[in-house]
């Protein structure tokens, strides 16, 4: 039987305090442990909550400022953001076990969300519940990235031009698409330094202002990898950073090939016109007279000495009159409607009723169907 003299009493009300387990060696004794349950719970807070929480949001892109950086959250609204912020700001008493909680958001207005938080747990063997309400204020601002874009900041410029011609509208549009896809890939990895601050059409091509030199170079190389041509770099010293390092702005001059895919040229080597199908490193194509492959000499690269005769877009659909033999076929001249005998290339389908033809200073030639240049 416990000796009454050894019992502890609550210093507030004087009631006996139930026996409690002694702390392990080296562990401090809880100061409130000397209180009885009634006095203990009279001042007990299961949840420690701030009076309010302010969430800074970029009004342009919707990024949220967390710690010392901006984070893209991809949210249509900020209820989930508010829940995360409240969940991270609330503290539950260390002595509570079997804790359960829930949050019921209430949208007060566009910039205020009232978070009704319910918590429950077990403390000193007693089930306790508590509700707290925390207002979350959405503060609109501008993140560093959007501020730079608005200010026209850029570190690199990609200039898309073409040798001895102006880039086609399709080439310019595709170059912009390639740049946008590249930036989107970087953004998807969480890189907030990735952006295009300006796309400007000029009489000679299109200019793109890019956020970093590394990305400008990556975009330029992707454009030439798909559209052919070459890239030259022209760095310009613009300033020095805080450590005294020189900071350069680089212009990446993209030169598209003089004969893009789909162009019909005459190398004037006696074997007739060529439909260009690739202009990367060395120009390649298909002979319109025979269907044989063509490849420019190594020293000529993507710009062999040739006459431009037209392009696939200039071709006209015409009727096949008759197949004469393995080397010749008769078709209607699309302008005069006379039957003309032309060379029969290997890609010609003898069962075809119509074929695309190109009429130029070199005569009338059958073109392969789109996507069939290598047949």
């Amino acid at each position: 039987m416990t000796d009454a003299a050894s019992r502890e009493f609550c210093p507030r009300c004087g009631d006996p305090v139930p026996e409690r387990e002694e702390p392990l060696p080296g562990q401090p004794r809880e100061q409130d442990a000397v209180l009885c349950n009634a006095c203990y719970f009279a001042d007990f807070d299961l949840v420690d909550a701030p009076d309010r929480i302010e969430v800074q949001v970029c009004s342009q892109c919707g990024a949220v400022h967390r710690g010392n950086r901006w984070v893209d959250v991809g949210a249509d609204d900020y209820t989930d953001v508010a829940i995360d912020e409240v969940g991270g700001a609330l503290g539950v008493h260390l002595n509570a076990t079997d804790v359960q909680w829930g949050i019921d958001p209430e949208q007060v207005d566009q910039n205020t969300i009232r978070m009704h938080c319910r918590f429950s747990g077990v403390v000193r063997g007693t089930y306790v519940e508590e509700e707290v309400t925390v207002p979350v204020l959405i503060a609109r601002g501008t993140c560093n990235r959007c501020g730079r874009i608005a200010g026209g900041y850029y570190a690199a410029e990609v200039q898309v031009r073409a040798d001895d011609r102006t880039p086609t509208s399709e080439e310019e549009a595709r170059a912009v698409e390639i740049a946008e896809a590249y930036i989107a890939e970087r953004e998807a990895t969480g890189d907030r330094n990735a952006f295009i601050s300006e796309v400007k059409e000029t009489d000679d091509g299109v200019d793109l202002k890019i956020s970093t030199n590394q990305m400008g170079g990556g975009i330029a190389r992707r454009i030439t990898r798909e559209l052919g041509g070459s890239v030259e770099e022209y760095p310009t010293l613009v300033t020095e950073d805080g450590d005294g390092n020189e900071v350069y702005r680089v212009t990446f001059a993209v030169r598209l090939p003089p004969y893009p895919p789909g162009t019909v040229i005459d190398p004037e080597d006696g074997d007739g016109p060529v439909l260009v199908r690739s202009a990367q490193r060395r120009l390649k194509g298909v002979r319109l007279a025979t269907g044989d492959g063509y490849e420019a000499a190594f020293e000529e690269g993507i710009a062999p000495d040739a006459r431009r005769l037209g392009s696939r877009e200039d071709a006209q659909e015409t009727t096949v009159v008759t197949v004469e033999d393995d080397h010749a076929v008769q078709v209607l001249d699309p302008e005069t409607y006379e039957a003309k005998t032309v060379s029969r290339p290997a890609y010609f389908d003898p069962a075809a009723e119509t074929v695309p033809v190109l009429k130029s200073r070199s005569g009338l030639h059958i073109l392969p169907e789109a996507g069939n240049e290598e047949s």
Side-chain angles (χ1 to χ4, degrees):
M1 185 172 181
T2 304
D3 185 358
S6 65
R7 297 286 297 273
E8 293 187 6
F9 296 88
C10 177
R12 288 190 183 178
C13 66
D15 288 345
V17 176
E19 293 184 11
R20 61 189 184 279
E21 295 183 2
E22 291 294 327
L24 295 174
Q27 290 186 344
R29 172 177 288 183
E30 181 189 349
Q31 291 183 345
D32 290 339
V34 296
L35 299 176
C36 67
N37 283 354
C39 293
Y40 179 83
F41 285 116
D43 297 329
F44 178 79
D45 289 322
L46 178 63
V47 181
D48 180 23
D51 293 334
R52 72 173 190 174
I53 294 175
E54 185 173 300
V55 179
Q56 191 173 1
V57 173
C58 179
S59 58
Q60 301 298 317
C61 68
V64 174
H65 193 261
R66 288 176 175 164
N68 60 354
R69 65 191 184 98
W70 290 88
V71 180
D72 291 310
V73 296
D76 294 329
D77 60 57
Y78 293 98
T79 301
D80 290 341
V81 174
I83 291 174
D84 289 341
E85 295 292 331
V86 170
L90 297 177
V92 181
H93 201 284
L94 292 175
N95 292 338
T97 60
D98 298 329
V99 176
Q100 296 184 354
W101 64 287
I103 297 179
D104 184 17
E106 175 192 356
Q107 189 81 42
V108 178
D109 55 41
Q110 183 180 3
N111 296 319
T112 307
I113 305 173
R114 188 177 291 129
M115 312 299 290
H116 302 282
C117 312
R118 300 177 304 277
F119 283 80
S120 65
V122 177
V123 179
R124 285 191 170 188
T126 303
Y127 176 79
V128 292
E129 292 182 333
E130 188 170 331
E131 293 188 9
V132 294
T133 299
V134 181
V136 177
L137 306 181
I138 306 298
R140 310 284 173 171
T142 302
C143 70
N144 298 336
R145 178 177 185 270
C146 290
R148 285 185 168 188
I149 295 174
Y153 173 85
Y154 68 100
E157 184 171 16
V158 178
Q159 297 179 343
V160 181
R161 303 291 186 266
D163 281 341
D164 299 326
R165 65 184 180 91
T166 301
T168 65
S169 57
E170 291 78 10
E171 287 175 320
E172 291 182 3
R174 184 56 190 150
V176 174
E177 289 175 356
I178 292 171
E180 291 174 340
Y182 182 96
I183 294 297
E185 290 176 11
R186 297 297 295 264
E187 288 178 329
T189 66
D191 189 345
R192 304 202 81 252
N193 289 321
F195 59 85
I196 301 173
S197 58
E198 183 182 22
V199 176
K200 181 180 179 181
E201 294 184 5
T202 73
D203 293 338
D204 301 318
V206 63
D207 296 342
L208 303 99
K209 293 182 177 179
I210 311 300
S211 54
T212 72
N213 288 325
Q214 185 274 332
M215 294 182 200
I219 289 171
R221 287 187 290 274
R222 279 201 184 182
I223 291 173
T224 56
R225 189 158 60 239
E226 178 174 328
L227 302 181
S230 60
V231 180
E232 293 185 0
E233 301 180 14
Y234 301 96
T236 302
L237 179 64
V238 291
T239 187
E240 291 185 355
D241 61 19
D243 297 326
N245 299 314
E246 295 178 334
V247 177
Y248 288 86
R249 177 175 290 163
V250 181
T251 298
F252 296 91
V254 174
R255 304 295 296 184
L256 300 181
Y259 311 119
T263 305
V264 177
I265 63 173
D266 186 356
E268 298 183 327
D269 55 5
D271 292 330
V274 171
L275 174 65
V276 178
R277 58 180 175 83
S278 173
Q280 299 174 351
R281 296 186 178 88
R282 295 170 67 182
L283 187 141
K284 299 178 182 179
V286 57
R287 295 281 187 180
L288 298 184
T290 62
D292 295 338
Y294 166 85
E295 185 169 337
F298 180 80
E299 60 273 11
E300 293 179 316
I302 61 173
D305 187 14
R307 284 192 304 157
R308 188 193 308 269
L309 301 179
S311 69
R312 178 183 287 282
E313 284 69 28
D314 300 322
Q316 297 174 276
E317 199 74 15
T318 193
T319 302
V320 176
V321 177
T322 184
V323 178
E324 295 186 353
D325 53 37
D326 290 342
H327 304 287
V329 60
Q330 272 194 5
V331 298
L332 289 183
D333 185 308
E335 296 178 358
T336 65
Y337 300 102
E338 296 179 70
K340 295 286 184 70
T341 298
V342 299
S343 297
R344 175 181 170 177
Y347 51 75
F348 171 75
D349 180 3
E353 296 181 355
T354 61
V355 290
V357 296
L358 178 70
K359 188 174 183 180
S360 70
R361 68 187 76 177
S362 293
L364 194 63
H365 291 89
I366 298 174
L367 269 62
E369 298 291 342
N372 196 35
E373 289 88 344
E374 298 182 84
S375 297

